Amino acid sequence: MTSRVAMDVGGTFTDVVRYDEETGELVAAKAPTTPGDLAEGVFAALDRVLDDAGEISFFVHGTTQGLNALLERKGSRVLLLASRGARDVYHIARGNRDRLFDLKYRKPEPLVPRSDVAEVGGRLDWRGTETEQLDEAAVRAAARRVRAEGFDAVAVCLLFSYLNPAHELRTGQILAEELGEDVMIVLSHRVAREWREYERTCSTVLEAYTGPVVRRHLARIEDRFAERGLRVPVHVMQSSGGLVNASFAREHPLQTLLSGPVGGTMGGVAAARLLGRPNAICIDMGGTSFDVSLVIDGKPDVAVEAKIEGFPILLPIVNLHTIGAGGGSLAYTEAEALRVGPESAGAVPGPACYGRGGTQATVTDANLVLGRVDPDGFAGGSLDLDTEAAHRAVAGLAGQLSMAPAELAEGICRVANAKMAQAIRTLTVEHGIEPREFALIAFGGAGPMHAAAIAAELDIGEVAVPRFPGAFSAWGMLEADVRRDLTDPFFRTQDEFDGEAMSEALDALEIQVIGALTEQGIPASRRRVTHAVDMRYSGQDYTLTVDLLNAHEPEAPAFLSDIAKRFAEAHERRYGHSSPETPVEFVTLRTTGLGTMPKRSARHTPRPGADPVVRPVVFDGRTYQTPVLWRDSLDAEVPGPAIIVEDTATTVVPPGSRCTVDAHGFLLIKAGDAA
């Protein structure tokens, strides 16, 4: 068993990467995603890189099953159990408005209707001390309702259970006795052991809503691979950028919500290391969406909470900004103007050029009309494109706007590029980060085709396109480490601070996280533990996470002054100001365990390819006779315009730009003004 394999199931294509540990060979392939039975597309892609699943020594899988269930509102029916008197916490939510000047603003529609919230007697106070015993009869009554009405999952979120989980644990025991294994039971202190009732309730509901879907998907994948001879555990990518085995993911499915897109970010971390550029913007343009993430100082930009579809989630998650702008994004007219996305043609029927019944023009159709896509070599030749269908779709829309087809095709690309550039600004400029100081790492099946144009919009000087960009998220999964995150509430003001108590709490977290890594099969030589604390100024509602040197740093005599200084510096970086004279407060302790996985760079050796062909390609209204080059054969600088093709993507080098290949096989494009 010498093959390390990673797989990313996207909305349009399923990508697979195989790394041979003996030879250093790296191969990738794509196959259309099969929405009716995802396993069909998974094995179609796998069969293109591997003959026998028994050869696999390590397997990691990225899935968007939970995210898709949320986006499409096709999750499970959930009964929410809340403490008596706190039934409406989930529906009241927060009073703040995310868009102050939007007169049509509405809070997200709750995933659980108010009629499906049941109250349970029993109460803990703010210290976690029991003041009223749990009403076990009410819990059993709720279980009877679950059976009678056919709920798929039960979310349990009782007041102050993050301090003392006793009532939740007993509730879980009763529900398990009454319901067996057919109904998923989710306890809030296992999902998010943190303060703030609404956010904790929302996180718990999200896990219950998406969990059964994820569990069924992982069970099918494991069963199907076992039938094919897989003899190693299936690992799953987490939203935090770390790996866990499938058994853990089944118990904590919310951790996998963004597991597919996050693979690209971890690939970006590895790419930034190989390129020697610690700061990078990662853009992943696939068939359905466009994802942006950041690598800062060689690390993924990870937040301790996030919002997905307007719902807060309390868990470590890579900061991703996603918009509906992929190769399959539909172009249409609205108010006599051209619009692109967010609606997508998806895998079925797909763009018009796929020949599967699609008739509306998409970004992929526009690129084909402009000559930027090879109709015979698309997706490694696995999909023959219908050029005439693309021209018909674009020409039909062009007629509505009284434009020439080529003019409209460029317009479609420009609108898509502008939307994608704005998405990057949302994650950079709006947070005080200057894009020009970052390299742009472009991947996804369509990312390298648009990267130079996006870089020009943002005045970014360099674009890096990794090998196998269309399967880069899968490659990134092979570069990720096993990761476990634990939290512990630690409410202390500066005057109440007890360094010994903090160190004892951190030691306890470290013991737990080391045990979790051991269960994942990580030996002591590859284990690493880090600690941090959430802090705020006295009177603030929000917090910032500040790294600690080790678990025993809080016992140092100068700790309070040192940590207050680090917090002030972090506050200054984030918000542009700080108040060093204001007392600080400690809120939550965080411990992360990392199990380092082997990092090996695959060898890159240029190979002779077919003689380049020349075909007409349109840039800025002008037709250029442009060489079409096979990527693996490049060994010298390539001036633009040029089209560089490979099995998983197409890279466009516009006029005025130049492209070189570095020692690791990255295409480095110095972006010009034309695109």
Side-chain angles (χ1 to χ4, degrees):
M1 298 191 295
T2 62
S3 295
R4 297 172 60 82
V5 174
M7 188 170 296
D8 177 27
V9 182
T12 306
F13 284 98
T14 294
D15 307 324
V16 62
V17 168
R18 178 179 67 84
Y19 175 74
D20 191 307
E21 295 178 296
E22 286 188 351
T23 66
E25 181 186 27
L26 186 70
V27 294
K30 302 174 77 71
T33 295
T34 49
D37 180 5
L38 292 176
E40 183 180 335
V42 163
F43 290 114
L46 185 66
D47 288 343
R48 293 174 182 172
V49 300
L50 193 69
D51 295 326
D52 179 8
E55 300 174 20
I56 298 176
S57 61
F58 178 82
F59 179 75
V60 60
H61 172 52
T63 176
T64 55
Q65 287 296 289
L67 181 61
N68 292 343
L70 173 61
L71 296 177
E72 299 171 8
R73 294 298 189 271
K74 294 181 179 179
S76 302
R77 188 182 178 194
V78 178
L79 180 69
L80 172 61
L81 299 190
S83 295
R84 183 189 299 133
R87 176 184 182 185
D88 293 318
V89 164
Y90 180 58
H91 286 81
I92 292 172
R94 293 295 179 187
N96 56 304
R97 291 168 62 102
D98 291 335
R99 299 186 296 276
L100 292 177
F101 303 106
D102 184 354
L103 299 180
K104 297 181 180 180
Y105 172 77
R106 294 289 183 274
K107 293 179 182 178
E109 185 69 25
L111 300 175
V112 176
R114 189 173 184 273
S115 59
D116 289 346
V117 183
E119 293 187 340
V120 174
R123 183 61 64 92
L124 306 174
D125 67 12
W126 64 275
R127 299 180 185 87
T129 302
E130 184 180 77
T131 61
E132 179 186 343
Q133 289 186 346
L134 177 69
D135 184 352
E136 297 189 3
V139 178
R140 295 189 188 278
R144 289 194 295 271
R145 181 181 172 189
V146 170
R147 289 197 304 269
E149 299 183 24
F151 288 90
D152 303 298
V154 181
V156 182
C157 193
L158 305 181
L159 291 175
F160 302 112
S161 59
Y162 58 91
L163 292 172
N164 180 358
H167 281 190
E168 281 196 354
L169 288 170
R170 179 55 185 154
T171 299
Q173 289 174 352
I174 295 171
L175 292 173
E177 292 170 7
E178 297 283 344
L179 302 173
E181 298 181 357
D182 294 335
V183 176
M184 182 175 180
I185 300 166
V186 181
L187 307 180
S188 74
H189 74 276
R190 291 177 176 168
V191 177
R193 194 169 182 178
E194 300 185 39
W195 69 304
R196 289 176 295 171
E197 295 304 318
Y198 168 64
E199 286 78 3
R200 184 162 52 88
T201 302
C202 199
S203 300
T204 308
V205 168
L206 276 168
E207 177 149 300
Y209 185 76
T210 62
V213 175
V214 175
R215 281 184 166 185
R216 288 192 295 269
H217 170 71
L218 292 176
R220 283 197 300 269
I221 290 294
E222 284 191 297
D223 290 345
R224 296 288 292 273
F225 268 94
E227 292 171 3
R228 285 190 159 224
L230 183 70
R231 291 174 286 177
V232 295
V234 173
H235 286 77
V236 183
M237 193 77 194
Q238 297 182 99
S239 301
S240 63
L243 305 177
V244 290
N245 60 33
S247 60
F248 177 88
R250 284 198 302 272
E251 295 302 315
H252 303 272
L254 188 63
Q255 304 275 358
T256 70
L257 198 63
L258 298 178
S259 78
V262 165
T265 306
M266 300 314 296
V269 172
R273 182 184 73 247
L274 294 173
L275 291 166
R277 292 160 178 75
N279 298 320
I281 299 169
C282 304
I283 62 170
D284 180 0
M285 183 180 180
T288 307
S289 63
F290 177 80
D291 303 317
V292 185
S293 57
L294 302 179
V295 177
I296 300 176
D297 293 330
K299 300 177 182 178
D301 180 25
V302 178
V304 296
E305 62 180 280
K307 275 191 175 183
I308 305 293
E309 288 291 285
F311 298 112
I313 300 179
L314 293 178
L315 57 82
I317 191 167
V318 169
N319 270 324
L320 275 169
H321 184 59
T322 301
I323 63 171
S329 294
L330 297 171
Y332 58 98
T333 60
E334 183 179 79
E336 299 184 353
L338 176 64
R339 300 283 188 268
V340 179
E343 187 178 354
S344 172
V348 180
C353 61
Y354 282 13
R356 295 174 179 163
T359 57
Q360 286 184 260
T362 67
V363 174
T364 298
D365 294 312
N367 278 304
L368 183 57
V369 167
L370 295 171
R372 302 178 186 181
V373 176
D374 180 6
D376 300 320
F378 189 74
S382 63
L383 186 62
D384 292 329
L385 299 185
D386 188 337
T387 304
E388 292 184 4
H391 278 273
R392 283 196 303 271
V394 172
L397 185 59
Q400 298 177 37
L401 294 168
S402 301
M403 300 173 68
E407 183 184 11
L408 177 72
E410 282 208 281
I412 292 172
C413 291
R414 287 197 181 105
V415 170
N417 292 339
K419 290 181 65 175
M420 291 185 283
Q422 184 56 40
I424 294 174
R425 293 188 185 98
T426 299
L427 210 58
T428 55
V429 175
E430 293 184 12
H431 291 274
I433 296 173
E434 175 53 67
R436 288 178 294 185
E437 298 174 359
F438 284 62
L440 187 69
I441 300 176
F443 48 95
M449 195 176 301
H450 292 260
I454 295 170
E457 288 235 6
L458 296 168
D459 200 23
I460 296 174
E462 183 178 60
V463 172
V465 180
R467 297 178 64 193
F468 311 111
F472 187 69
S473 289
W475 179 78
M477 295 174 195
L478 291 180
E479 292 292 313
D481 294 326
V482 171
R483 175 170 175 152
R484 285 288 282 113
D485 294 275
L486 296 175
T487 62
D488 190 19
F490 190 85
F491 296 99
R492 301 288 192 281
T493 65
Q494 186 169 311
D495 293 337
E496 299 170 334
F497 177 74
D498 183 339
E500 185 175 341
M502 181 182 280
S503 290
E504 288 177 358
L506 290 170
D507 279 337
L509 288 175
E510 184 164 339
I511 291 171
Q512 292 179 57
V513 84
I514 288 176
L517 292 176
T518 302
E519 290 177 4
Q520 299 279 315
I522 304 299
S525 60
R526 292 199 280 116
R527 294 197 294 254
R528 181 165 59 91
V529 179
T530 64
H531 302 281
V533 58
D534 288 357
M535 298 177 61
R536 64 187 180 188
Y537 286 125
S538 180
Q540 282 183 333
D541 178 60
Y542 58 89
T543 63
L544 288 175
T545 302
V546 181
D547 291 336
L548 299 174
L549 300 179
N550 53 60
H552 293 280
E553 185 191 4
E555 299 178 60
F559 174 73
L560 273 179
S561 59
D562 290 345
I563 200 69
K565 180 181 178 182
R566 300 208 299 263
F567 173 72
E569 291 170 350
H571 203 282
E572 183 77 33
R573 286 194 303 270
R574 179 68 180 270
Y575 299 108
H577 66 91
S578 61
S579 303
E581 70 285 353
T582 303
V584 296
E585 295 177 345
F586 303 92
V587 178
T588 304
L589 302 179
R590 299 184 182 277
T591 295
T592 298
L594 296 170
T596 305
M597 302 301 286
K599 303 290 190 298
R600 297 185 179 94
S601 298
R603 294 193 295 270
H604 169 65
T605 304
R607 292 177 292 181
D611 293 335
V613 298
V614 175
R615 69 166 181 254
V617 181
V618 178
F619 293 95
D620 283 335
R622 177 181 169 186
T623 300
Y624 292 80
Q625 294 302 314
T626 304
V628 179
L629 309 168
W630 183 250
R631 176 169 182 164
D632 281 351
S633 67
L634 297 181
D635 59 0
E637 181 175 288
V638 177
I643 305 296
I644 301 172
V645 297
E646 56 187 300
D647 285 343
T648 66
T650 298
T651 300
V652 173
V653 183
S657 300
R658 64 186 188 278
C659 175
T660 57
V661 185
D662 78 352
H664 299 290
F666 286 86
L667 299 180
L668 302 180
I669 303 173
K670 300 294 184 180
D673 295 329

